[in-house]
Amino acid sequence: MLKKNDEIELEIESFTSEGSGVGRYEGMAVFVGGSAAGDRVLAHIIKVKQNYAVAKTLRILRPSENRIPSDCAVSDSCGGCAFRHISYSSEIEMKRDKIENTFRRIGGTDKSVDCFIEAEELTHYRNKAEYPVGFNGRLNIGFYTRHTHRIVDCEKCVLSAPEFSDIVGIIRKWIIEFGIPVYDGESGTGLLRHIFLRKAFATGEIMLCLVINGDSIPRSRELLERVLVIPGIKSVVLNINKNMTNVILGTQCVTLWGEDYIFDELCGVRVRLSPLSFYQINRAQAEKLYGKAAEFADLDGSETVLDLYCGAGTIGLSMADKAKRIIGVEIVADAVEDAKFNAKLNGIDNAEFYCMDAASAAKMLKDRAERPEVVILDPPRKGCSKELTDTVSEIAPKKIVYVSCDPATLARDCGRFNEHGYKTVKLAGVDLFPRTVHVESAALLIKE
């Protein structure tokens, strides 16, 4: 029987949805971090449960043909990437299988992925990064180790925009030189919590946001003198977060220098971005995802489109020139204001936006006997409530275009719609997050 601290040899057969390799020892599944399907490894057992064990790789005894050298010094300990040690073709195969297996297991259907859109860029694609700042005998700025709040020091992330490394390096020296107090999550003391960075890839504009446990920062003039040498900086903002919470951003922003916003362009729509705006992290792949959503919607100009969970309105606004009317719904008030501003900015006059939860909005339209021909769903990871799937089904649109960041909740919700007579006729995968476990998917459902 396995026990903690045992060292065993394993053949790695597959991957979990979290990116760990899976082997079997005397019939028990063993999840092994840092391994690849096809590896034979020497594994150290770190946890044993009734039906499975967790281990870490001590040594690769025979490497998989899909294994490649990692191009990141901290990829084994950082919680960001899971697949830096395997080929991209192998990663794509796993992500496609993940979507299809999830639909079989949860959705109860053998629906296959009709197309999978791979990423062209595997590095420096992230337009946003959030670096926690901490002190544990030394200053640490980087990312959390997976499933912990221990910060792995990492200034040069290979996923993020290249300028971010230079900015973090400048801030690191500023903290040390002027003794800027950093936040301690256990005591709730200290000032600087996170460095939040955004880049608009289409325009080159960069926003620096410092998340602080206070109302102001000392030595701001010296900080500005240093960071403003970085090309593209348009906005330096303080975000006030005095709560003892794991939530990164507070609700109050104060502009320290420059503009309150930066501007990007997505699918031909100019978009205003604040620290609190939701925006897809991979702009190039987001354009392909939204293009696939538009292809699924297949609008001819006569349709009313209900865009639920619309955020800053990007999906709906990108389809506005092909629709009779766009109705966007979002529960975050700041996002609704962004959506209204973006519509005006782009001269789009056939879009309207409401600040309310998706289920209430769907019910409002049902009560008003409004029947949008197309409903777009782009919910958070938890997916749609049963109340929402029931109400949308009662509205009875001809098509539902469902964009999802979690295949499990997509499969579940497609199953719920199926009970109301909707069939999943198309299913696509889009890799917005190469080298990580995450995958986006989109489904077209049509009333049978």
Side-chain angles (χ1 to χ4, degrees), residues 72-258:
C72 174
V74 298
S75 61
D76 289 343
S77 52
C78 170
C81 297
F83 297 134
R84 300 221 76 85
H85 62 296
I86 66 172
S87 67
Y88 187 54
S89 60
S90 179
E91 177 185 340
I92 290 303
E93 183 180 347
M94 285 189 298
K95 288 181 173 179
R96 178 190 287 270
D97 288 346
K98 177 180 180 178
I99 296 172
E100 293 181 344
N101 291 338
T102 302
F103 263 74
R104 280 193 292 270
R105 180 171 51 87
I106 297 176
T109 174
D110 285 331
K111 178 62 185 158
S112 61
V113 173
D114 298 290
C115 72
F116 196 103
I117 302 175
E118 301 179 14
E120 296 180 13
E121 299 294 336
L122 305 184
T123 61
H124 303 304
Y125 63 81
R126 285 186 63 101
N127 57 34
K128 182 182 81 168
E130 299 156 333
Y131 299 83
V133 183
F135 190 86
N136 185 18
R138 53 164 289 180
L139 177 64
N140 290 309
I141 305 174
F143 304 100
Y144 292 121
T145 303
R146 192 174 289 111
H147 305 309
T148 77
H149 278 87
R150 182 174 65 83
I151 300 172
V152 176
D153 199 69
C154 178
E155 193 169 296
K156 294 187 176 182
C157 173
V158 293
L159 294 187
S160 298
E163 297 93 337
F164 292 1
S165 298
D166 296 331
I167 295 169
V168 171
I170 289 170
I171 296 173
R172 183 190 296 273
K173 292 178 181 177
W174 169 75
I175 292 170
I176 295 171
E177 181 178 350
F178 296 106
I180 306 300
V182 301
Y183 184 71
D184 179 87
E186 292 186 6
S187 65
T189 60
L191 180 65
L192 183 58
R193 301 174 68 133
H194 279 80
I195 300 167
F196 179 103
L197 289 163
R198 247 191 168 133
K199 179 181 178 182
F201 274 47
T203 64
E205 296 181 359
I206 297 172
M207 170 179 285
L208 164 62
C209 176
L210 300 179
V211 184
I212 59 172
N213 178 41
D215 297 305
S216 62
I217 58 168
R219 301 289 189 167
S220 59
R221 181 175 60 84
E222 288 84 353
L223 173 64
L224 291 174
E225 287 175 352
R226 288 159 171 76
V227 298
L228 293 182
V229 303
I230 302 295
I233 292 263
K234 295 293 182 183
S235 175
V236 181
V237 177
L238 300 179
N239 177 265
I240 313 301
N241 185 357
K242 300 179 185 179
N243 299 320
M244 290 189 68
T245 174
N246 293 333
V247 177
I248 293 174
L249 293 174
T251 57
Q252 181 185 358
C253 293
V254 179
T255 300
L256 196 62
W257 177 90

Side-chain angles (χ1 to χ4, degrees), residues 290-448:
Y290 292 174
K292 182 57 65 175
E295 177 189 319
F296 284 0
D298 192 25
L299 304 175
D300 63 16
S302 65
E303 300 94 345
T304 294
V305 177
L306 174 60
D307 182 9
L308 298 175
Y309 306 99
C310 71
T314 45
I315 295 183
L317 292 176
S318 70
M319 299 183 189
D321 62 336
K322 305 176 187 70
K324 177 181 177 182
R325 181 185 177 201
I326 301 289
I327 303 171
V329 176
E330 171 60 54
I331 198 170
V332 179
D334 286 343
V336 173
E337 291 307 309
D338 283 341
K340 290 177 179 178
F341 180 90
N342 291 334
K344 185 175 181 180
L345 178 67
N346 290 275
I348 296 172
D349 57 9
N350 63 335
E352 57 197 83
F353 297 94
Y354 297 90
C355 184
M356 57 198 309
D357 71 83
S360 297
K363 185 176 184 303
M364 175 189 74
L365 292 179
K366 174 175 165 285
D367 293 343
R368 293 192 332 205
E370 295 194 50
R371 294 288 186 267
E373 288 81 7
V374 177
V375 170
I376 298 172
L377 297 168
D378 186 10
R381 187 166 297 277
K382 66 181 180 180
C384 300
S385 67
K386 188 175 185 303
E387 177 189 6
L388 178 59
T389 56
D390 289 347
T391 306
V392 168
S393 299
E394 290 172 12
I395 292 174
K398 296 177 182 177
K399 300 174 186 175
I400 298 171
V401 178
Y402 194 138
V403 176
S404 172
C405 60
D406 186 349
T409 52
L410 174 63
R412 180 201 67 199
D413 293 345
C414 285
R416 289 174 176 171
F417 280 119
N418 182 254
E419 294 172 1
H420 290 281
Y422 283 90
K423 182 179 180 181
T424 305
V425 295
K426 291 185 179 179
L427 182 61
V430 184
D431 193 18
L432 262 74
F433 314 102
R435 316 320 264 149
T436 79
V437 299
H438 305 294
V439 61
E440 293 270 332
S441 45
L444 170 62
L445 299 98
I446 293 180
K447 187 78 170 178
E448 292 185 299

